[in-house]
Amino acid sequence: MSSKNKLESFTNTAEEFVSPEYIRNRFSKIMSDMYKNEVPLYGELLDLVHDINDNVLSESREIEEQLAHTGELTRLNMERHGAIRLGKPYELFTMRRLFKVMGMYSVGYYDLAPAGVPVHSTAFRAIESTALNQAPFRVFTSLLRLDLIDDVELRNNVETILEKRQIFTEKVLQLIDKSEKEGGLNKEDAETFVQEALETFRWHDTATVDYEMYEALLNQHRLIADVVAFKGPHINHLTPRTLDIDEVQISMETRNIPPKDNIEGPPARKCPILLRQTSFKALTEKVTFKNNAEKEEIGEHKARFGEIEQRGAALTQKGLDLYHELLGKTRKAIGGSPTAENASEYNKLLAENFKVFPDNYEELHSKELAYFHYFTTDKAKTLSKEKVYTKADVNQLLEDGYLSIEPMVYEDFLPVSAAGIFASNLGTDDAKREYEGTSNQSLFEKDLGEPVYKLTKWYEDMQDESIQNCLAVINA
């Protein structure tokens, strides 16, 4: 075969591949349909969020224009993030390979042990702005830290139980191999991949352990029971994005959706920052356990719930430090995490403490507390072409009206909020537990098979790319 024919053959094969965004969108939709079928209340939640988003957009031209400018408007109602919990390094390593088929990469390292949850985690998502806007699907993925199980005998039992399970189908493993070797999947293979991958995330109402072992796991920590006692890491929530989480919190009860007691994250603001989250309380679900006499015993398990999030501006390290300082000050004053009893007091104190955190985008920008997208204005066409503009000129160009800014949305997660959602949903004091030991990002990355993408670096890179694009237009 000539070099030309070889090239044509490769090109034709490559043209048959569907994009990772196509696979990611398809998987997100199919999973959402599955979860709606498994948890009908989730469908009611989606309808509520959709109605509130429509109301916000119809009442605020400013918010609509901001989202349109940043490319977030078209993705709003299809935006989802899920969460899964894995038990052993092989599962994390293989899950990374599975998500890569969908164009999702590991971003950020989160240690939830200080918040009373014995896992460390990452988020799998797209890492290009265009790809995120095309298919905004994220999965917060946790790995159980066996070293934090203080009962040695139980820890050994957990290792044995997890060693025996395979959470991936043979077909999906074959398609992961094929995608890695050939550089993608065609439409038929992509559809099979989505259906087979879905099996890993499906709920199973039969436990893989007897009730006595389940109770032992539960007494160690509810999350340990959820990870270890089942066939696979059932998706435990799929989170839509709202533009007004306070309205969602108020409106859930009117639709017979039982809300948690308090919204997690920063207080309500004119200029939202980071991530605010609430949820409906976890379902109590019937589970079948098999005992040693091979008889069946019916018990109950709580794990799956409906979460909602409102996303705001991504903060710089300086902004994050201030956020954590103010959040920590508030929690220290009330003696820890907020509860149903002190929620009102907590929210008043939180709002008071956050008054020192600037609540307008101009000040957030000037004090370098948040990240921004940059855009050229019509006025930029009048700039002299005799000068070459650089990054050193950006602030002056902005002040003079040649550039404009819009906040860069926070695409990631807040571990303290995640722990708060977990604790309030399951009615447990586990989140008050303090685990000894330190974060172990190096071990997590070893189990993952590659380094995680550093959070602040991602936002810095996106902001810099935005600035460079503007300078290229101005200097053209």
Side-chain angles (χ1 to χ4, degrees):
M1 184 183 292
S2 69
S3 297
K4 180 181 179 182
N5 288 339
K6 282 182 180 179
L7 180 59
E8 288 175 348
S9 175
F10 175 80
T11 303
N12 290 337
T13 302
E15 285 173 355
E16 295 176 1
F17 293 156
V18 295
S19 69
E21 285 66 48
Y22 172 87
I23 302 174
R24 189 162 71 251
N25 254 336
R26 183 76 179 132
F27 183 77
S28 176
K29 183 182 185 306
I30 296 292
M31 180 184 280
S32 187
D33 290 344
M34 179 190 77
Y35 198 65
K36 194 186 301 184
N37 184 56
E38 292 180 348
V39 184
L41 210 55
Y42 167 69
E44 187 68 33
L45 186 68
L46 291 183
D47 291 341
L48 172 62
V49 170
H50 191 278
D51 291 346
I52 288 173
N53 286 349
D54 283 350
N55 289 340
V56 171
L57 293 173
S58 65
E59 294 173 3
S60 176
R61 174 62 67 87
E62 182 181 357
I63 291 176
E64 184 178 24
E65 289 179 350
Q66 176 186 312
L67 293 174
H69 217 181
T70 59
E72 296 167 62
L73 186 61
T74 55
R75 85 189 212 186
L76 181 62
N77 286 325
M78 64 178 178
E79 193 153 352
R80 297 286 184 277
H81 99 239
I84 57 171
R85 301 151 182 167
L86 305 174
K88 57 185 177 180
Y90 163 80
E91 293 173 353
L92 179 66
F93 182 86
T94 307
M95 193 62 73
R96 171 185 61 80
R97 296 173 62 216
L98 183 149
F99 282 135
K100 192 166 285 189
V101 176
M102 294 188 263
M104 299 165 70
Y105 301 86
S106 175
V107 182
Y109 171 79
Y110 305 87
D111 180 21
L112 271 66
V117 185
V119 299
H120 47 184
S121 315
T122 190
F124 288 98
R125 63 169 175 83
I127 55 173
E128 294 179 0
S129 293
T130 302
L132 271 166
N133 287 340
Q134 288 176 339
F137 177 58
R138 318 167 185 85
V139 181
F140 189 73
T141 303
S142 300
L143 178 65
L144 181 63
R145 287 189 61 180
L146 294 179
D147 60 300
L148 296 180
I149 300 177
D150 51 20
D151 183 324
V152 176
E153 183 179 356
L154 182 64
R155 184 165 67 240
N156 291 336
N157 285 332
V158 166
E159 288 179 329
T160 300
I161 293 166
L162 291 173
E163 191 58 39
K164 292 178 180 178
R165 81 174 184 181
Q166 170 57 279
I167 67 173
F168 304 100
T169 69
E170 189 61 37
K171 187 63 178 176
V172 85
L173 293 174
Q174 292 170 1
L175 288 170
I176 292 171
D177 286 340
K178 184 174 184 179
S179 178
E180 290 174 346
K181 290 173 182 175
E182 298 183 7
L185 297 175
N186 61 33
K187 193 169 186 178
E188 181 180 351
D189 282 341
E191 183 62 29
T192 303
F193 170 84
V194 166
Q195 296 295 339
E196 293 289 326
L198 202 64
E199 293 304 308
T200 297
F201 298 83
R202 192 180 298 280
W203 167 250
H204 298 279
D205 60 7
T206 300
T208 58
V209 300
D210 60 31
Y211 192 73
E212 184 180 357
M213 175 55 69
Y214 174 77
E215 283 283 287
L217 297 169
L218 199 66
N219 290 335
Q220 181 72 197
H221 196 289
R222 285 180 177 269
L223 184 139
I224 296 174
D226 187 57
V227 173
V228 178
F230 295 90
K231 183 179 178 180
H234 39 261
I235 194 83
N236 59 65
H237 62 267
L238 270 177
T239 306
R241 177 179 173 186
T242 183
L243 298 175
D244 188 346
I245 200 165
D246 296 285
E247 184 61 31
V248 170
Q249 181 81 354
I250 293 168
S251 301
M252 277 199 281
E253 287 194 24
T254 66
R255 298 210 186 191
N256 295 315
I257 304 173
K260 73 182 290 294
D261 302 308
N262 196 59
I263 295 172
E264 300 288 339
R269 296 163 45 90
K270 294 194 295 289
C271 300
I273 56 172
L274 294 175
L275 188 64
R276 301 182 74 212
Q277 298 165 284
T278 189
S279 71
F280 66 69
K281 293 182 178 179
L283 308 174
T284 299
E285 302 182 89
K286 297 295 183 183
V287 174
T288 301
F289 298 90
K290 291 183 179 179
N291 63 27
N292 293 332
E294 297 201 1
K295 293 180 180 179
E296 292 185 345
E297 186 174 351
I298 303 298
E300 294 179 342
H301 181 69
K302 281 187 176 184
R304 301 191 298 165
F305 52 90
E307 188 177 76
I308 314 96
E309 63 191 17
Q310 180 175 354
R311 291 184 172 270
L315 299 185
T316 62
Q317 189 60 57
K318 181 180 177 183
L320 285 171
D321 289 344
L322 179 57
Y323 167 76
H324 288 302
E325 176 189 333
L326 300 175
L327 185 69
K329 179 181 178 182
T330 307
R331 293 193 169 215
K332 184 178 180 180
I334 65 162
S337 303
T339 64
E341 291 72 28
N342 64 20
S344 178
E345 176 193 357
Y346 173 80
N347 288 326
K348 288 179 183 177
L349 189 57
L350 187 69
E352 181 65 29
N353 286 336
F354 266 81
K355 284 182 178 179
V356 301
F357 204 117
D359 199 10
N360 64 81
Y361 291 127
E362 290 75 18
E363 195 173 355
L364 287 172
H365 177 269
S366 66
K367 292 187 174 179
E368 298 184 347
L369 294 171
Y371 293 105
F372 290 86
H373 296 283
Y374 290 75
F375 302 92
T376 55
T377 64
D378 288 339
K379 187 179 178 182
K381 297 173 183 177
T382 66
L383 277 167
S384 169
K385 298 298 181 182
E386 295 179 4
K387 176 181 176 179
V388 176
Y389 294 90
T390 67
K391 284 184 70 174
D393 301 307
V394 165
N395 286 338
Q396 190 63 51
L397 288 168
L398 186 63
E399 187 177 326
D400 294 340
Y402 299 111
L403 295 177
S404 65
I405 55 171
E406 295 287 5
M408 190 177 294
V409 69
Y410 186 63
E411 301 283 1
D412 298 287
F413 299 88
L414 294 174
V416 173
S417 295
I421 291 276
F422 174 81
S424 60
N425 263 291
L426 302 183
T428 173
D429 289 330
D430 282 332
K432 295 180 181 178
R433 180 178 305 194
E434 292 183 5
Y435 285 101
E436 294 183 0
T438 58
S439 299
N440 201 336
Q441 183 171 344
S442 60
L443 177 60
F444 184 87
E445 291 177 331
K446 178 184 176 184
D447 293 340
L448 181 70
E450 66 180 26
V452 301
Y453 207 112
K454 187 178 177 182
L455 277 184
T456 51
K457 184 179 188 311
W458 186 84
Y459 292 105
E460 288 166 4
D461 288 347
M462 292 300 103
Q463 179 172 274
D464 187 62
E465 181 181 317
S466 174
I467 291 171
Q468 295 302 333
N469 288 340
C470 288
L471 292 174
V473 170
I474 288 172
N475 290 323

